[in-house]
Amino acid sequence: MSDELRKLNAFFSEAKVWPEELRALRAILLDCGLTEEFKWRGPCYTFDGSNVAVIWGFKENAALGFFKGVLLRDPEGLLVAPGDNSRAVRMFRFTGLDQIEAIETTIRDYVREAIELEKAGAKVDPPKDDIVYPEELLAALEDDPELQEAFEALTPGRRRGYALHFAQPKQSATRRSRIERSRDRILAGKGLQER
């Protein structure tokens, strides 16, 4: 058994929240012809190597997220953004197995549409970055050319994630501390949540 398969099996067998819902979503996604991989500490579903969907077990709900969900037709308005700053991902939220069973056909339709978007090479074209970088980040980038070069080499989503993370604290000292703690990760080209 591969290490990846062990991690996937452990994820589902050891799930503390929404275990039945997560297994039901897994079965649907695998039945739709997606490949299951272990990324970002959880199951990710791909088509021809491209990320299509992901499932999560949150405290409040189980969720099925689509990486390019903003491009999906959603005539019934079932998809929601995972957060205020989400630009592309949209997801279903479930608080019971019966909810998944009630819209299984709809879920399959959305998965098929997401696969077709991948086949067509569809891209999400987010608006230009509207994040204002905190002063502490601008100062750190100006004072550290190596950090600036590495930060600018990050994908727009990774830069955005860091900028939002750095801007959250009210105190300047905390913002500077977050930047310092993230320096090595930025130099390694990693996003905020990547290991």
Side-chain angles (χ1 to χ4, degrees):
M1 181 183 299
S2 72
D3 186 47
E4 184 171 46
L5 186 55
R6 267 194 291 284
K7 288 177 182 177
L8 287 163
N9 288 339
F11 178 89
F12 289 102
S13 67
E14 298 169 11
K16 303 275 189 263
V17 293
W18 312 106
E20 292 178 6
E21 291 78 5
L22 294 174
R23 285 191 290 274
L25 292 170
R26 178 190 204 190
I28 293 168
L29 293 169
L30 290 175
D31 191 51
C32 288
L34 294 174
T35 301
E36 186 177 54
E37 299 179 27
F38 193 82
K39 297 182 179 184
W40 309 294
R41 297 177 292 214
C44 178
Y45 299 85
T46 64
F47 179 81
D48 280 346
S50 295
N51 298 330
V52 174
V54 64
I55 57 177
W56 298 289
F58 297 121
K59 189 162 106 173
E60 328 60 57
N61 57 60
L64 165 60
F66 294 94
F67 286 94
K68 296 180 183 176
V70 73
L71 300 178
L72 294 171
R73 293 183 305 265
D74 185 22
E76 297 176 48
L78 299 173
L79 296 176
V80 296
D84 293 339
N85 295 303
S86 298
R87 292 179 163 199
V89 174
R90 295 295 180 268
M91 66 185 193
F92 289 111
R93 290 184 176 147
F94 303 103
T95 57
L97 192 57
D98 58 325
Q99 293 175 337
I100 295 169
E101 292 168 350
I103 66 165
E104 182 175 340
T105 301
T106 301
I107 294 169
R108 289 175 182 276
D109 290 343
Y110 280 59
V111 172
R112 280 191 285 278
E113 184 180 352
I115 291 170
E116 290 305 315
L117 288 170
E118 286 307 318
K119 286 180 181 176
K123 303 275 185 214
V124 174
D125 188 21
K128 292 288 183 203
D129 200 356
D130 57 351
I131 296 296
V132 176
Y133 291 174
E135 291 177 29
E136 295 80 3
L137 176 58
L138 294 173
L141 296 175
E142 186 175 316
D143 293 344
D144 186 343
E146 183 181 18
L147 179 63
Q148 181 173 11
E149 183 179 341
F151 189 80
E152 289 173 359
L154 294 173
T155 63
R158 287 181 176 125
R159 287 193 307 267
R160 181 177 173 79
Y162 278 117
L164 290 168
H165 177 67
F166 298 154
Q168 282 176 339
K170 293 187 189 312
Q171 295 185 4
S172 180
T174 306
R175 290 191 294 270
R176 282 193 304 275
S177 174
R178 282 188 176 189
I179 294 165
E180 290 168 17
R181 286 194 316 264
S182 299
R183 185 177 189 278
D184 290 342
R185 180 173 272 125
I186 292 169
L187 292 178
K190 295 182 176 180
L192 186 61
Q193 302 300 327
E194 291 177 84
R195 291 188 178 221

